[in-house]
């Protein structure tokens, strides 16, 4: 359950950051938010993997 929370949180945060960037720069938000969410999920997977490895040791 902890891994899902980490992944969801990073996905949400990167999506919000890219939405804010799109609105601030006057660009279309949809593609940037989708890209930000994808990148956030990859970052979250990496963090969750590291946490999982550290808790096993």
């Amino acid at each position: 359950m902890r891994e899902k929370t980490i992944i969801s949180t990073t996905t949400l945060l990167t999506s919000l950051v890219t939405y804010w960037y799109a609105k601030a720069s006057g660009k279309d938000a949809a593609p940037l938010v989708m890209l930000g969410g994808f990148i956030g999920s990859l970052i979250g997977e990496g963090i969750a993997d590291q946490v999982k490895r550290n808790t096993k040791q």
Side-chain angles (χ1 to χ4, degrees):
M1 183 66 178
R2 187 175 187 178
E3 292 87 14
K4 289 182 183 180
T5 305
I6 293 170
I7 296 167
S8 298
T9 303
T10 56
T11 302
L12 175 65
L13 290 176
T14 56
S15 296
L16 290 174
V17 166
T18 53
Y19 177 78
W20 172 78
Y21 169 75
K23 288 299 180 181
S25 64
K27 297 182 180 184
D28 186 23
L32 291 176
V33 170
M34 289 174 25
L35 183 63
F38 176 71
I39 292 171
S41 67
L42 293 177
I43 293 169
E45 286 281 341
I47 293 170
D49 189 41
Q50 290 296 325
V51 168
K52 195 174 182 181
R53 286 184 191 170
N54 288 338
T55 55
K56 285 185 177 181
Q57 292 178 356

